[in-house]
């Protein structure tokens, strides 16, 4: 099991990436910083996991896509073997799915390959000191996107109109129920159809059921 580096020791780094140029660039960036020492390199997931076990680095820089498998699977294996090893996932594919995949795999940080090398070094510094605290530049915005409701958001009035349409009411009936003119009722219905991407009542109700905006009617009881 690895131990967190003391303030006077150099942080040992293992680079796992199948591109020689990227490894060379990262090595150069880490060697410029006296806090770090690159102790090994690997070009495959299996070799990365093997070297991590043999070298016991403080931080592993792990490419997401490797010739023999996923860097996320390698990250899970490393995290399972050590709770104190810092793991920085580095990737060209920096979407929300990849970011949350790295978080769920137990990574300490997530950095796109388009980021400056200094950001990778900073992520490694974080990973060495707080291996279980995940960080990513876009984490807050990614969380907002994940937590944001999906699908169209209906106003309270549009919700009323939808339920009345589901009850089979005519435009005149909806207008009377809502105490508005038929023209206003038609406007509400038109806006509702637009939000649901529907051309008529049937399409609107089917879409609303699919999106969970309406509950399916109870099956008849015999």
């Amino acid at each position: 099991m690895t131990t967190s580096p003391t303030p006077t020791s150099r942080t040992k780094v293992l680079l796992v990436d199948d591109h020689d140029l990227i490894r060379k660039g990262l090595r150069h960036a880490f060697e410029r910083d006296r806090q770090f020492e690159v102790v090994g390199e690997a070009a495959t997931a299996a070799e990365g996991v093997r070297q991590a076990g043999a070298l016991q680095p403080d931080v592993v820089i792990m490419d997401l896509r490797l010739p023999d498998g996923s860097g996320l699977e390698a990250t899970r294996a490393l995290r399972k073997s050590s709770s104190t090893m810092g793991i920085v996932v580095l990737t060209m594919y920096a979407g929300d799915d990849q970011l949350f995949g790295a978080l769920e795999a137990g990574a300490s940080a997530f950095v796109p390959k388009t980021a400056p090398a200094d950001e990778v070094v900073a992520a490694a510094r974080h990973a060495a000191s707080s291996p279980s605290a995940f960080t990513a530049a876009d984490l807050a915005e990614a969380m907002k996107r994940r937590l944001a409701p999906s699908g169209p958001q209906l106003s309270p009035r549009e919700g009323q109109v939808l339920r009345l349409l589901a009850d089979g009411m005519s435009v005149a009936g909806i207008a009377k129920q809502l105490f508005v003119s038929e023209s206003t009722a038609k406007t509400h219905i038109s806006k509702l159809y637009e939000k649901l991407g529907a051309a008529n009542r049937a399409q609107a109700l089917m879409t609303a059921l699919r999106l969970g905006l309406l509950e399916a009617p109870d099956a008849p009881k015999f």
Side-chain angles (χ1 to χ4, degrees):
M1 181 176 291
T2 60
T3 56
S4 297
T6 63
T8 57
S9 67
R10 298 180 75 182
T11 302
K12 296 183 294 181
V13 178
L14 171 64
L15 306 175
V16 185
D17 195 292
D18 60 325
H19 293 95
D20 290 340
L21 288 177
I22 290 177
R23 293 201 310 273
K24 286 178 182 177
L26 289 173
R27 176 180 280 276
H28 180 64
F30 280 111
E31 288 178 345
R32 284 199 317 245
D33 192 314
R34 300 180 114 188
Q35 177 186 340
F36 296 97
E37 175 188 6
V38 177
V39 295
E41 297 183 15
T44 65
E47 181 63 13
V49 172
R50 190 193 69 77
Q51 285 206 39
L55 299 171
Q56 292 294 292
D58 301 303
V59 178
V60 177
I61 309 298
M62 179 68 69
D63 189 12
L64 184 67
R65 291 195 177 186
L66 293 161
D68 61 337
S70 167
L72 293 184
E73 289 303 319
T75 296
R76 288 189 185 93
L78 293 178
R79 179 57 68 226
K80 185 176 181 180
S81 67
S82 172
S83 61
T84 58
M85 183 181 292
I87 307 169
V88 177
V89 170
L90 191 65
T91 179
M92 285 294 295
Y93 310 94
D96 288 357
D97 288 345
Q98 289 77 21
L99 187 154
F100 286 113
L103 170 61
E104 291 160 4
S108 314
F110 178 87
V111 183
K113 286 186 176 179
T114 53
D118 287 348
E119 285 191 26
V120 182
V121 173
R125 188 173 288 111
H126 158 83
S129 61
S130 304
S132 60
F134 183 78
T135 185
D138 194 37
L139 180 58
E141 290 303 314
M143 289 295 292
K144 287 181 184 177
R145 289 190 291 270
R146 172 164 280 200
L147 295 173
S150 59
Q153 301 303 299
L154 304 185
S155 68
R157 176 65 84 186
E158 288 164 346
Q160 284 181 296
V161 171
L162 177 61
R163 288 188 291 274
L164 293 174
L165 287 171
D167 288 340
M169 280 197 177
S170 64
V171 173
I174 291 172
K176 184 176 180 181
Q177 184 74 24
L178 298 180
F179 302 102
V180 298
S181 67
E182 288 192 26
S183 175
T184 299
K186 287 180 181 178
T187 298
H188 288 317
I189 294 170
S190 177
K191 287 182 178 179
L192 176 64
Y193 285 1
E194 183 178 351
K195 279 191 176 182
L196 296 176
N200 54 48
R201 181 190 300 244
Q203 288 182 8
L205 296 180
M206 289 299 295
T207 300
L209 283 169
R210 179 172 53 82
L211 294 174
L213 299 173
L214 275 178
E215 292 185 5
D218 292 333
K221 296 178 181 179
F222 300 98

